[in-house]
């Protein structure tokens, strides 16, 4: 039995979707490509994901769950130290945005391809972005920052820019340091 056959079918399909959607774009990847990459039949594929929209939403839910787990872990490890959590996040963004094969934030990339607000994938993106912005606002509240909701939105814009900066070839430490410096300026702690 091959390693591929040992993974549950749904997981194989999601892995194939994550790899292909991220590398090539959602619209560019056909069901046939994913069926071949996951080594499943069409019947099996459609039993797990009746439509492409279902698969796109599941792909984005998986990506969101990974980020939720990472942020939740960091908040637990740095409980009572919101500055440490924000520095960790900046370093994580810098490292992620500068790794080989990075093509940008999967949520921003997907949003560009899913313009309809009611698309199931877009619903996942909006819900995850709201969750992440709320996490930042909570940390800013712990820091005693004025207008934490507004400032969290501003920091999210910086995060988005840092992702682009890393994609364009800046070093991870440079991206993280710039993100931290710009964040401090927004918070008036520069």
């Amino acid at each position: 039995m091959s390693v591929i056959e040992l993974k549950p079918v749904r997981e194989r399909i999601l892995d194939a979707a994550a790899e292909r959607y991220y590398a090539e774009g959602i619209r560019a990847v056909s069901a046939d490509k994913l069926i071949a990459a996951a080594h499943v039949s069409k019947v099996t594929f459609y039993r797990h994901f009746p439509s492409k929209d279902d698969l796109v939403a599941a792909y984005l839910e998986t990506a969101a769950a990974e980020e939720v787990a990472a942020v939740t872990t960091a908040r637990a490890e740095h409980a009572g130290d919101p500055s440490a959590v924000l520095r960790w996040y900046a370093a994580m963004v810098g490292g992620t945005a500068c790794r080989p094969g990075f093509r940008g934030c999967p949520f921003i990339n997907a949003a560009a391809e899913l313009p309809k607000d009611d698309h199931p994938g877009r619903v996942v993106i909006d819900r995850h972005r709201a969750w992440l912005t709320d996490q930042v606002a909570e940390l800013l509240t712990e820091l005693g920052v004025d207008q934490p909701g507004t400032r969290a939105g501003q920091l999210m814009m910086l995060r988005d820019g840092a992702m682009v900066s890393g994609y364009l070839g800046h070093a991870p430490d440079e991206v993280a340091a710039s993100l931290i410096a710009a964040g401090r300026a927004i918070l008036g702690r520069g």
Side-chain angles (χ1 to χ4, degrees):
M1 211 179 245
S2 73
V3 173
I4 291 171
E5 294 169 353
L6 294 176
K7 276 190 169 183
V9 173
R10 182 178 171 82
E11 187 178 335
R12 289 197 330 250
I13 296 168
L14 278 171
D15 286 352
E19 182 180 331
R20 295 289 175 105
Y21 286 165
Y22 187 74
E24 301 171 35
I26 292 168
R27 293 186 187 274
V29 177
S30 68
D32 288 337
K33 280 185 180 180
L34 296 175
I35 288 165
H39 304 282
V40 297
S41 70
K42 279 189 178 189
V43 171
T44 299
F45 180 87
Y46 287 110
R47 186 179 317 122
H48 288 276
F49 299 100
S51 74
K52 186 170 186 174
D53 290 352
D54 294 326
L55 180 56
V56 169
Y59 152 66
L60 292 166
E61 286 282 3
T62 300
E66 290 171 3
E67 189 166 31
V68 166
V71 170
T72 301
T73 298
R75 288 194 70 176
E77 289 175 354
H78 302 289
D81 190 353
S83 292
V85 178
L86 292 169
R87 285 191 306 275
W88 165 83
Y89 193 76
M92 190 271 299
V93 166
T96 299
C98 298
R99 75 176 189 268
F102 182 75
R103 288 194 63 251
C105 171
F107 302 104
I108 294 171
N109 292 349
E113 292 193 64
L114 308 172
K116 293 183 179 179
D117 290 339
D118 63 344
H119 186 284
R122 191 59 187 256
V123 170
V124 173
I125 293 165
D126 294 344
R127 183 176 55 236
H128 180 63
R129 189 158 183 93
W131 177 85
L132 188 56
T133 303
D134 288 346
Q135 294 298 300
V136 174
E138 286 176 16
L139 293 165
L140 297 180
T141 298
E142 288 179 40
L143 285 170
V145 170
D146 289 338
Q147 303 174 343
T150 299
R151 301 287 183 240
Q154 293 167 339
L155 291 177
M156 289 295 290
M157 288 178 67
L158 286 176
R159 172 232 182 247
D160 296 345
M163 291 278 189
V164 172
S165 182
Y167 179 61
L168 295 175
H170 293 95
D173 292 343
E174 180 183 344
V175 172
S178 294
L179 183 54
I180 290 169
R184 285 185 177 163
I186 283 177
L187 300 177
R189 298 171 185 223

